[in-house]
Amino acid sequence: IPCIFAAGDITPSVGFHAEIYRTANIGATTISMFDNGYPNQSFKLLIKDDFTIIDFTGTNLKGNAGVDWSPSNGDWMECVFDGTNWYCSVYDCTA
């Protein structure tokens, strides 16, 4: 069962050792980092709203060629943590 990020949380925790997380934002929310990660952790993030933005500029989130990502409901990304940065691949499934 996926863990659901609290609506409006811009630094959601991924410390629950889950493999899948979901967004559930009800207003514009820019995620700028993930809290409580550990080295070599990986997870998938399912976008389950139309309000989430992922901040890939000037944060420890690396991906999408350094451009912020505004996914749609049904898109997803996969991230791995090296202890400093999250390296993320984005999957735009709704375009």
Side-chain angles (χ1 to χ4, degrees), residues 42-53:
S42 65
F43 69 91
K44 293 177 179 73
L45 176 59
L46 305 177
I47 307 300
K48 300 304 287 180
D49 62 71
D50 287 315
F51 303 104
T52 299
I53 299 166

Side-chain angles (χ1 to χ4, degrees), residues 5 12 14 19-23 30-34 42-48 52-56 59-64 67-72 74-80 86-93:
F5 292 157
V14 294
E19 293 180 21
I20 300 173
Y21 293 85
R22 293 189 321 190
T23 65
T30 301
I31 294 175
S32 59
M33 68 178 288
F34 297 112
S42 65
F43 69 91
K44 293 177 179 73
L45 176 59
L46 305 177
I47 307 300
K48 300 304 287 180
T52 299
I53 299 166
I54 307 297
D55 185 354
F56 285 118
T59 68
N60 76 334
L61 304 179
K62 308 301 179 191
N64 202 41
V67 177
D68 290 353
W69 184 46
S70 298
S72 298
D75 293 338
W76 64 285
M77 71 182 198
E78 186 169 20
C79 300
V80 63
W86 287 99
Y87 295 93
C88 304
S89 296
V90 302
Y91 299 90
D92 188 350
C93 302

